[in-house]
Amino acid sequence: MRNGLLWTVGLVIVATLAGCSVGPRVPDAPTRPSVIAPPRDLGPLTGSLAHPKSRWVPVGWSELPGFGEDPLHEAWIALLANCARPNAAFAPLCRDVRQLTIATSEEQRQWMTDRLQPYRIEALNGQSEGKLTSYYEPVYDASRVPNATYNVPLYQAPEGLVPKRPWYTRQEIETLPEAQAALRGREIAWMADPIDALMLHIQGSGRLRITEANGYQHTVRVAFSATNEQPYRSVQQWLMSQGVGKVGKWPDDTKAWAVQNPQRVTQLLWSNPRYVFFREETMSEVDAAFGPRGAQGVPLTAGRSIAVDRESIPYGTPVWLASSGPAAQLQKLVVAQDTGSAILGAVRADYFAGTGADAGRLAASVNQPLRLWALWPRQLPAP
């Protein structure tokens, strides 16, 4: 039963990624070893691999907490997606990844120990503990045309926007005639709540249940397109600077504050000068089963994709993640498939929790210690 389900999942992912420049083919039947040996250690290891912001230290598989318990078939969806745009080191392994889509977790685990080498990721000063946060894909109602309820615009990027060159701040976008003129006609849709719109800006992508001018309703995805290249400022930090106290449940606490302080909502929003522009994407039923495309260019997999600092971990790298905190106990295989402006440092990751309200509640609560191990192909140089 499970193998049949995984075969179906594999086919769905292949269909999803068929439009990419490097598309996976239908998985072949895997070669199944008759005996699955336990993960083996490699004995004493020496040497390290340097990166701009991290160093990778080779270790044995026994150092990875929970490696023998993770249901790897869940992570294989992310690995298969990864093969639509693999980095040069992993491209030769994609045939195996496709073949093992319908294998058991034990067979997949054996393949990993045979073909990959774990490296503990450390900061350049040797610190191996960092921080895990989380993000998700929100879902909001919206209108194609503005009205008394839906009056908060979401914009496409203006023409002439230059990468890495600061554009107008959030306050200037909402007040200066020249900024508003540049965005006129660039509206994708209109939302009802400015804090929900801000949340969409912070997450970088989401789904909109849009009502068209003729009353037709459907769901589209709005994906990150560009920013105004202004610095990001946390509205939670701003609230605390105003004496509100610690904001524990974002965005619920912020919305509650806004109800009590309607005259200060604009001041709250303008405290974050960064502004995000989007592009609209239609969604098929297959698209709807996955998250948005991350910076690697492949769909994110809930619970199995992470955003990283590219100067520490290259896109497409399988990573063993271990994090323990009040929000989640995680020991699992994930894949580095995205990035974020606040995701900086050697041992730093943003965990993609999924789509919708439940994923949002988890994402808002994750802020806890983290350890990471990169899993790099054997007999290949690290990047």
Side-chain angles (χ1 to χ4, degrees), residues 85 88 98 111 146 256 259 271 280 304 324 346:
R85 297 191 68 178
R98 297 184 187 110
W111 177 84
V259 170
S271 71
E280 180 176 338
R304 295 293 179 170
S324 179

Side-chain angles (χ1 to χ4, degrees), residues 16 25 37-38 51 53 66 102 123 125 142 145 154 168 170 174 236 251 257 297 300 302 315 317-318 336 344 359 372:
T16 302
R25 58 181 176 80
H51 299 263
K53 288 187 179 179
I102 58 172
N125 64 3
V145 295
L154 298 175
Y168 299 105
R170 180 179 295 271
E174 296 183 1
Q236 296 162 288
W257 178 90
L300 302 178
Y315 291 154
T317 302
L344 301 173
L372 296 173

Side-chain angles (χ1 to χ4, degrees), residues 303-323:
R304 295 293 179 170
S305 297
I306 58 172
V308 297
D309 187 333
R310 291 184 66 189
E311 293 189 344
S312 175
I313 305 172
Y315 291 154
T317 302
V319 176
W320 192 261
L321 179 152
S323 180

